[in-house]
């Protein structure tokens, strides 16, 4: 016999969970006790990472899963800790990232009827009617463990949900009495709850897609998160190169195509302009994208043949969604692209047409890269986001992973990083700010041999709870470099207001350099926060000539001294 808490830890270990990102409370004695026992007796168990903030804990599990595909555990305190997961839960859900969240629940007995019965005042305060309801809009599966006797089965089933496409967070909770229950070991094995195998296209439809594709003069792929699977990128390259199909990324959260390829036509974000490649396209294959374009201003022409392949084509968590696709498929990008590539082996292809098209896209792509190079030139004595990113790029090797939470500089960062390897750049995939610091910890725990660099807005740095992040980073030795694109405030909400009220009071006030509620003047000492909480190398960079020496020192701190570095780089005021 052992406790249900011990069975839970054993189940996590057996399921391949390496880390428990934990913020503890009165609900966790059985778990803390069984981890201490495992450590004392040499029994294998996941490693507990103490996380002073829940959002950071979940962001760390998010980053870990993005680079490994594997859900880690996040342990939080009853309903309070669940609430404190905050926007990180939104990010994991929207980014379709697998994570297992476990929360305790207030004990359900109050007179010592069972081990674990209430003995602290707060257990009356923290008892709520619908704890699982707090997360239900964001998790793929939620349940309460009512006995320790099938706790392993329940953990394996929750992980099966988390790891099956569309992937996402799952939530389990259990009261203290349940976790304290003495239970016999259960003969359950995670192999009996395998994730669902990837879906393919119906074979009869592959020819239908090709009928339009082979007729097209300007075929285009639009994608955002296909690159979460590097093998899907390989298949996409094979298809696009064979048929000379252009590739446009839309708010990419992964590297979906090598940026130096002649078929790569760049990325789009919120720009209120019609994208030329999208306008010219007569065939558009949307693969794995939540927002392939924003149709008010930017969309394909009416006559374009649009096909849509996605792990989540219905966008089941989005109340409003539609693109005018002829056919829609729920399929795994790698599988579907491989089917298309196999079909291609026997298709009749007009090689002249392909030559013409390759040359056309290569011209567009070259012009784009030349324009980007021009933008990287420094003029005057203000550091521009393009210049900054180009300087960072010089420090990036094949073992570097960049985390992008650049907000209004998101697209600029992608443009000027010019990532060419899948996995080299990640974004959260969600819309709740503050992912980057925690995610860097998770990425570094998953890939200790990689260099991790976060590029973040100043607002997003504050959202990321840097005091917690840098304390964890030092404690668990996950050094990374964080570069703050400091425009002294929130530029995005200013853009939003000016887009709707271009000549209103706010716009006029902004033109007079008055604050409309978005400025951080006087700004905090951002890098000082990291130095104080985690001993990070800290530097403020205000002038262009200071940038490269500071970058070199910061890289040295991360790679040689193995400590975090934060560069607070001042850009033009928002
Ligand atoms: C948790 C959360 N709160 C608020 C917002 C709204 N929001 C979107 S962008 C933004 C500004 C971010 O500031 P910063 O990181 O400095 O980037 P900048 O806009 O200056 O480029 C805000 C507040 C959000 N997306 N998420
Ligand atoms: Mg800012």
């Amino acid at each position: 016999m052992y406790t249900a808490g011990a069975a839970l830890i054993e189940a996590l270990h057996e399921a391949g969970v390496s880390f428990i990102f934990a913020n503890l409370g009165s609900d966790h004695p059985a778990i803390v006790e069984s981890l201490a026992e495992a450590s004392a007796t040499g029994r294998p168990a996941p490693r507990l990472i103490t996380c002073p903030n829940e959002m950071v804990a979940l962001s760390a599990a998010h980053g870990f899963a993005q680079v490994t595909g594997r859900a880690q555990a996040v342990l939080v305190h009853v309903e309070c800790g669940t609430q404190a997961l905050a926007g990180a839960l939104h990010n994991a859900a929207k980014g379709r990232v697998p994570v297992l969240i476990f929360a305790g629940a207030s004990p359900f007995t109050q007179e010592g009827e069972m081990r674990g019965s209430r003995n602290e005042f707060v257990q009356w305060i923290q008892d709520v009617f619908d704890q699982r309801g707090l997360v239900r809009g964001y998790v793929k599966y939620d349940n309460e463990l009512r006995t320790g006797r099938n706790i392993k089965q329940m953990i394996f089933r929750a992980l099966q949900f988390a790891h099956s496409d569309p992937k996402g967070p799952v939530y389990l909770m259990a009261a203290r009495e349940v976790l304290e229950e003495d239970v016999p070991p259960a003969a359950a094995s995670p192999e009996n709850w395998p994730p669902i195998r990837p879906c393919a296209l119906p074979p009869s439809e592959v020819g239908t897609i090709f009928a339009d594709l082979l007729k097209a003069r300007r075929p285009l792929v639009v994608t955002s998160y296909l690159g979460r699977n590097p093998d899907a990128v390989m298949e996409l390259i094979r298809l696009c190169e064979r048929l000379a199909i252009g590739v446009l990324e839309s708010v990419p959260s992964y590297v979906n195509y090598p940026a130096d390829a002649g078929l790569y036509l760049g990325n789009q974000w919120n720009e209120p302009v019609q994208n030329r490649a999208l306008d010219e396209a007569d065939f558009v294959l949307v693969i794995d994208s939540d927002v392939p374009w924003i149709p008010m201003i930017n969309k394909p022409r009416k006559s374009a043949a649009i096909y849509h392949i996605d792990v989540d084509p219905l966008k089941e968590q989005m109340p409003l969604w539609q693109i005018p696709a002829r056919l829609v498929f729920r399929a795994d990008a790698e599988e579907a692209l491989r089917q298309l590539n196999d079909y291609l082996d026997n298709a009749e292809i007009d090689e002249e047409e392909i030559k013409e098209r390759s040359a056309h896209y290569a011209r567009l792509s070259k012009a784009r890269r030349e324009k980007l190079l021009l933008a990287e030139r420094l003029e005057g004595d203000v550091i521009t986001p393009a210049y900054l990113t180009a300087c960072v790029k010089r420090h990036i090797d094949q073992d570097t992973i960049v985390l992008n939470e650049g907000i209004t500089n998101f697209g600029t960062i992608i443009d000027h990083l010019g990532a060419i390897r899948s996995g080299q750049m990640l974004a959260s995939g969600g819309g709740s700010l503050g992912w980057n610091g925690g995610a860097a910890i998770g990425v570094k725990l998953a890939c200790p041999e990689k260099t991790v660099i976060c590029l973040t807005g100043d607002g997003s740095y504050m959202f990321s709870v840097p005091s917690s992040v840098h304390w964890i980073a030092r404690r668990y030795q996950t050094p990374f470099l964080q570069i703050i694109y400091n425009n002294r405030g929130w530029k995005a909400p200013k853009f939003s207001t000016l887009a709707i009220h271009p000549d209103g009071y706010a716009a006029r006030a902004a033109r007079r350099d008055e604050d409309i509620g978005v400025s951080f003047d006087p700004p905090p000492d951002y890098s000082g926060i990291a130095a104080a909480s985690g001993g990070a190398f800290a530097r403020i960079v205000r002038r262009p000539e200071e940038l490269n020496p500071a970058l070199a020192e910061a890289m040295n701190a991360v790679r040689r001294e193995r400590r975090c570095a934060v560069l607070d780089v001042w850009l033009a005021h928002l």
Side-chain angles (χ1 to χ4, degrees):
M1 298 288 261
Y2 59 164
T3 66
L8 184 147
I9 296 301
E10 200 171 79
L12 293 176
H13 171 70
E14 287 170 7
V17 171
S18 309
F19 294 101
I20 301 175
F21 297 98
N23 191 295
L24 299 174
S26 54
D27 42 344
H28 301 133
I31 293 170
V32 174
E33 175 65 13
S34 76
L35 281 171
E37 190 202 357
S39 150
T41 58
R43 218 166 359 117
R47 182 167 181 212
L48 185 135
I49 304 288
T50 304
C51 295
N53 176 282
E54 289 86 349
M55 164 138 180
V56 178
L58 182 46
S59 299
H62 185 144
F64 188 105
Q66 280 185 291
V67 290
T68 60
R70 281 169 32 220
Q72 300 302 293
V74 173
L75 184 63
V76 295
H77 175 53
V78 297
E79 41 85 54
C80 306
T82 301
Q83 303 246 32
L85 291 168
L89 181 59
H90 156 107
N91 287 337
K94 300 297 170 180
R96 301 184 186 80
V97 170
V99 187
L100 184 132
I101 301 164
F102 184 89
S106 258
F108 50 77
T109 56
Q110 61 174 14
E111 290 175 17
E113 296 92 330
M114 301 171 81
R115 187 163 71 213
S117 195
R118 288 186 189 181
N119 63 343
E120 298 180 34
F121 88 93
V122 83
Q123 290 156 340
W124 279 265
I125 312 288
Q126 291 172 336
D127 194 6
V128 296
F129 284 102
D130 190 9
Q131 185 173 317
R132 285 150 63 192
L134 292 170
V135 298
R136 196 159 294 124
Y138 298 88
V139 296
K140 288 189 64 194
Y141 174 80
D142 67 85
N143 204 354
E144 176 171 1
L145 307 176
R146 297 189 180 87
T147 167
R149 289 179 184 265
N150 65 352
I151 212 160
K152 282 194 175 179
Q153 290 90 324
M154 301 306 279
I155 298 267
F156 298 153
R157 174 156 156 79
L159 284 168
Q160 183 180 38
F161 271 91
H163 285 136
S164 295
D165 269 322
K167 301 181 175 75
V170 293
Y171 183 84
L172 292 174
M173 58 177 252
R176 217 158 66 155
E177 292 91 333
V178 171
L179 294 174
E180 291 293 347
E181 186 187 355
D182 287 322
V183 294
S189 159
E191 287 90 67
N192 295 328
W193 283 264
I196 294 173
R197 301 291 302 145
C199 296
L201 299 172
S204 58
E205 304 274 26
V206 176
T208 318
I209 300 176
F210 266 106
D212 277 333
L213 177 53
L214 293 178
K215 267 194 294 199
R217 227 176 92 71
R218 293 287 176 254
L220 182 73
V221 162
V222 182
T223 179
S224 307
Y225 52 84
L226 160 149
R228 69 198 177 119
N229 171 8
D231 293 334
V233 177
M234 297 313 295
E235 291 295 338
L236 182 64
I237 293 172
R238 232 176 104 200
L239 181 72
C240 291
E241 285 190 345
R242 183 66 190 94
L243 290 181
I245 305 172
V247 178
L248 174 66
E249 289 183 302
S250 193
V251 206
S253 40
Y254 295 87
V255 178
N256 299 292
Y257 209 81
D260 59 350
L263 293 167
Y264 179 69
L265 304 173
N267 73 90
Q268 56 183 7
W269 192 64
N270 286 338
E271 306 82 4
V273 286
Q274 173 66 51
N275 180 283
R276 178 176 165 186
L278 198 55
D279 178 45
E280 284 180 1
D282 48 3
F283 173 98
V284 181
L285 178 57
V286 176
I287 316 179
D288 281 354
S289 180
D290 284 333
V291 188
W293 48 80
I294 299 177
M296 192 152 86
I297 291 165
N298 177 28
K299 58 187 165 209
R301 55 185 55 199
K302 274 213 161 62
S303 57
I306 301 175
Y307 290 85
H308 180 203
I309 299 173
D310 210 299
V311 282
D312 178 19
L314 280 177
K315 306 295 170 191
E316 289 175 34
Q317 292 302 319
M318 295 188 193
L320 176 68
W321 204 88
Q322 190 263 347
I323 58 170
R326 290 191 182 171
L327 293 176
V328 181
F329 302 96
R330 183 191 300 279
D332 173 77
E334 181 195 348
E335 289 292 327
L337 287 164
R338 186 176 301 118
Q339 285 174 286
L340 293 173
N341 280 319
D342 289 348
Y343 187 94
L344 206 53
D345 292 344
N346 302 315
E348 236 177 76
I349 293 163
D350 180 343
E351 300 293 345
E352 281 308 306
E353 180 98 355
I354 288 186
K355 258 194 226 143
E356 182 279 333
R357 197 149 69 218
S358 284
H360 170 78
Y361 283 138
R363 269 194 305 276
L364 289 185
S365 162
K366 184 158 171 270
R368 173 180 171 272
R369 284 197 302 273
E370 283 169 359
K371 213 168 132 197
L372 291 179
L373 268 182
L374 277 182
E376 287 169 10
R377 282 216 305 242
L378 201 57
E379 276 158 23
D381 57 2
V382 178
I383 299 172
T384 61
Y387 177 74
L388 170 56
T389 312
C391 292
V392 174
K393 184 183 167 132
R394 281 189 227 122
H395 293 270
I396 289 174
D397 59 18
Q398 58 180 12
D399 289 320
T400 302
I401 299 178
V402 176
L403 275 56
N404 181 355
E405 201 164 25
I407 317 301
T408 55
N409 291 310
F410 183 80
T412 304
I413 288 172
I414 293 171
D415 280 343
H416 295 278
L417 269 185
I420 51 172
R421 282 186 191 80
S422 40
Q424 221 171 18
M425 194 272 322
L426 303 173
S428 79
S432 193
L433 305 184
W435 154 89
N436 77 90
I441 292 168
V443 170
K444 189 71 186 170
L445 285 172
C447 317
E449 72 294 352
K450 300 267 188 191
T451 303
V452 179
I453 303 181
C454 293
L455 306 181
T456 173
D458 47 338
S460 297
Y461 178 78
M462 291 239 259
F463 277 115
S464 75
V465 201
S467 53
S468 260
V469 163
H470 285 281
W471 177 82
I472 300 172
R474 175 162 66 179
R475 170 77 177 270
Y476 295 99
Q477 289 164 14
T478 57
F480 60 89
L481 168 61
Q482 207 166 17
I483 299 176
I484 300 169
Y485 283 56
N486 186 352
N487 53 15
R488 263 85 76 224
W490 295 331
K491 197 168 187 173
K494 176 178 163 180
F495 271 172
S496 308
T497 305
L498 269 48
I500 307 294
H501 303 283
D503 299 310
Y505 286 96
R508 277 174 283 155
R511 279 199 287 274
R512 290 192 301 268
D513 281 336
E514 287 168 23
D515 180 26
I516 54 167
V518 296
S519 153
F520 284 168
D521 291 323
D525 175 5
Y526 293 117
S527 58
I529 298 172
S533 34
F537 170 93
R539 184 68 55 84
I540 300 176
V541 177
R542 288 199 180 80
R543 300 191 49 80
E545 64 274 15
E546 296 164 354
L547 180 59
N548 281 317
L551 265 172
E553 278 186 72
M555 289 308 301
N556 188 57
V558 172
R559 285 188 171 140
R560 312 264 175 279
E561 297 169 25
R562 304 201 47 76
R563 61 178 176 135
C564 279
V566 177
L567 290 187
D568 172 3
V569 181
W570 283 42
L571 310 170
H573 198 276
L574 49 87

